[in-house]
Amino acid sequence: MSRIILFIALISIFAVSCKSTDETIEITCGSTTPSYATDVVPVLQQKCISCHSDAMPRGNVSLSNYTKVYTNKSATRNIFASSNAHEGVSLTTAQRNTVCCWIDSNAPNN
């Protein structure tokens, strides 16, 4: 009986230690769709372009123009909705909401 309890305890510890810490953040969108040019581009320039430009795009993902952002919108949303952005990058709630809400509105070129 004690071996069974020990086995269950070890399995539980292992399961908890393997759990991902990449939790999804709650995204809140208003009634107005964010503008790509006015709202999204400034966030991308401030937080992403230093690593995701055309010159040497990290992970082979460039976010340097609308077409490239649109092509990578799913991965971009996952990063912005995650509690774990790239190392060294901190995102505000407003920045997360702006990019995710724009993508959730079918990422218009507005």
Side-chain angles (χ1 to χ4, degrees):
M1 183 68 165
S2 63
R3 286 184 182 189
I4 293 173
I5 293 172
L6 178 61
F7 177 74
I8 292 172
L10 289 173
I11 295 297
S12 298
I13 291 169
F14 180 74
V16 169
S17 68
C18 291
K19 182 181 176 189
S20 172
T21 59
D22 198 17
E23 297 177 21
T24 301
I25 305 290
E26 183 177 338
I27 302 299
T28 305
C29 299
S31 59
T32 305
T33 299
S35 163
Y36 174 73
T38 305
D39 304 315
V40 176
V41 168
V43 174
L44 297 178
Q45 287 177 338
Q46 182 182 11
K47 299 295 183 173
C48 307
I49 292 300
S50 63
C51 294
H52 294 283
S53 66
D54 284 337
M56 293 186 69
R58 181 179 182 176
N60 204 28
V61 174
S62 174
L63 300 174
S64 62
N65 63 48
Y66 172 80
T67 302
K68 292 176 181 179
V69 174
Y70 188 86
T71 299
N72 293 293
K73 67 182 179 181
S74 179
T76 301
R77 191 194 190 289
N78 288 340
I79 293 294
F80 274 81
S82 167
S83 62
N84 293 322
H86 289 314
E87 184 178 329
V89 176
S90 62
L91 299 166
T92 67
T93 300
Q95 290 167 329
R96 292 176 189 280
N97 287 339
T98 295
V99 174
C100 290
C101 293
W102 172 75
I103 292 169
D104 292 349
S105 296
N106 202 28
N109 190 1
N110 56 356

